[in-house]
Amino acid sequence: AMETETKELACMSSVIPGWFSEISPMWPGEAHSLKVEKILFQGKSDYQDVIVFQSATYGKVLVLDGVIQLTERDECAYQEMITHLPLCSIPNPKKVLVIGGGDGGVLREVARHTSVEQIDICEIDKMVVDVSKQYFPNVAVGYDDPRVNLIIGDGVAFLKNAAEGTYDAVIVDSSDPIGPAKELFEKPFFESVNRALRPGGVVCTQAESIWLHMNIIEDIVSNCREIFKGSVNYAWTSVPTYPSGVIGFMLCSTEGLEVDFKKPVNPIDADESSIKSHGPLKFYNSEIHSAAFCLPSFAKKVIDSK
Ligand code: SAM
């Protein structure tokens, strides 16, 4: 058993034996590491390598193609922010589409909103859904909501065929632009999102780190300014197990009713029914919502100039 475990760890590109190190050309010269207690699952889907391991200090960890997607300890920071930043910025969201997000964590957060009537999710990789249901019940609990409608397929194709003006909000919970998520960062995809949203509808997409990917962010911002005729804003949050410890979101609205993302109009942190049905929020509140749009000077300069 020891021997297979050593072999498995080698597949996980460890720098330190017994530790998982996240090595990728997307962040050359650095690799965040977590101590591995036990590998729980290793598989290869049609799209990516899938690993689940028990870490020493962050609970269970989901890794796709060598990149950490979530840990039990800090997933709240990401899931709550990517969901409530858009949904708390508009009154009464009813139809919500999630692209990616196969783990179900975003669904769990969308489900807190009682105004929501329909939650569609289009995830490309069924293995992510199955693995999450097996190993991350507190995240995959999002699938239990009767409003959820799961489509296994490519988010790009799904949005191309979506009826015009359908959604109040689209949340793009994608992996990085190397691999199946590449097109989710490109202009034609944003054009389909714009089409599928109702006037004054909102989109929130995973938009990488200001410390590592200002070049990717610049492109996303300039594409979005061309396509979305309402507001276009960048927000960010702290997620310790993501490269550089921070992750950003691109928030845009379509032409029509005006949306001021910095002033939430639909607070969820004080919502008794959300707390009753889903437990208290661990990260999001209305103050951190507004603060998320304050940028360090170096990032502000670049983003404002686009
Ligand atoms: N929710 C996670 C967290 O807490 O950090 C973030 C990552 S989520 C697991 C990203 C998902 O996007 C993956 O499951 C991946 O399979 C999916 N994905 C990648 N490309 C896609 C595409 N073109 N269409 C739909 N889903 C895609």
Side-chain angles (χ1 to χ4, degrees):
M2 195 59 213
E3 198 178 283
T4 48
E5 200 156 289
T6 317
K7 259 195 217 138
E8 279 170 356
L9 286 170
C11 301
M12 294 170 76
S13 62
S14 336
V15 172
I16 313 165
W19 290 60
F20 167 80
S21 289
E22 193 180 45
I23 297 172
S24 164
M26 288 214 36
W27 36 92
E30 60 184 279
H32 186 238
S33 302
L34 291 175
K35 187 163 193 256
V36 179
E37 300 268 280
K38 194 176 180 350
I39 296 165
L40 302 171
F41 178 87
Q42 250 187 318
K44 197 172 171 54
S45 73
D46 291 342
Y47 300 97
Q48 52 210 346
D49 291 319
V50 181
I51 293 174
V52 178
F53 69 87
Q54 179 69 49
S55 70
T57 52
Y58 277 83
K60 286 187 217 116
V61 182
L62 172 67
V63 180
L64 299 178
D65 277 348
V67 178
I68 293 177
Q69 301 295 314
L70 69 84
T71 82
E72 287 180 309
R73 179 165 156 196
D74 66 4
E75 54 93 9
C76 61
Y78 179 83
Q79 324 272 23
E80 291 183 16
M81 290 298 270
I82 196 172
T83 306
H84 303 307
L85 287 177
L87 295 190
C88 294
S89 295
I90 53 172
N92 290 311
K94 289 195 171 66
K95 284 191 178 184
V96 179
L97 170 64
V98 180
I99 299 290
D103 52 78
V106 171
L107 301 176
R108 180 191 69 203
E109 294 307 315
V110 175
R112 289 180 180 275
H113 291 260
T114 47
S115 66
V116 171
E117 294 165 358
Q118 182 182 330
I119 314 171
D120 294 340
I121 172 166
C122 181
E123 159 65 52
I124 204 166
D125 194 344
K126 187 170 180 295
M127 191 181 278
V128 176
V129 179
D130 295 340
V131 159
S132 185
K133 285 182 177 172
Q134 189 172 351
Y135 295 99
F136 299 90
N138 297 330
V139 180
V141 64
Y143 285 103
D144 295 347
D145 193 284
R147 294 166 289 180
V148 171
N149 168 32
L150 168 65
I151 301 115
I152 296 292
D154 179 11
V156 178
F158 181 83
L159 265 163
K160 232 179 243 164
N161 300 318
E164 207 174 319
T166 307
Y167 293 103
D168 298 284
V170 175
I171 299 171
V172 187
D173 176 17
S174 70
S175 23
D176 294 317
I178 295 183
K182 183 173 177 286
E183 286 180 66
L184 301 179
F185 289 79
E186 293 169 358
K187 207 167 165 180
F189 176 72
F190 291 121
E191 278 163 354
S192 326
V193 172
N194 185 55
R195 243 190 71 256
L197 283 170
R198 62 146 168 95
V202 292
V203 57
C204 179
T205 78
Q206 190 271 92
E208 302 297 342
S209 158
I210 49 174
W211 287 111
L212 296 170
H213 300 123
M214 266 327 284
N215 57 332
I216 300 176
I217 296 169
E218 269 186 80
D219 288 348
I220 300 176
V221 174
S222 51
N223 283 338
C224 287
R225 285 211 203 282
E226 271 177 50
I227 294 163
F228 296 101
K229 297 300 177 197
S231 1
V232 174
N233 285 278
Y234 189 86
W236 61 301
T237 189
S238 144
V239 181
T241 57
Y242 280 167
S244 84
V246 306
I247 189 85
F249 308 106
M250 198 70 221
L251 285 127
C252 309
S253 68
T254 58
E255 204 164 15
L257 303 167
E258 206 184 304
V259 177
D260 182 354
F261 285 110
K262 294 171 193 176
K263 299 205 181 91
V265 294
N266 180 27
I268 187 87
D269 41 334
D271 187 327
E272 288 294 332
S273 65
S274 145
I275 296 166
K276 231 179 176 173
S277 54
H278 294 82
L281 290 157
K282 292 189 189 135
F283 194 92
Y284 177 91
N285 57 54
S286 296
E287 278 176 14
I288 215 165
H289 178 128
S290 298
F293 293 90
C294 298
L295 304 177
S297 303
F298 76 87
K300 186 173 161 56
K301 200 168 132 190
V302 176
I303 289 168
D304 287 353
S305 76
K306 286 287 141 190

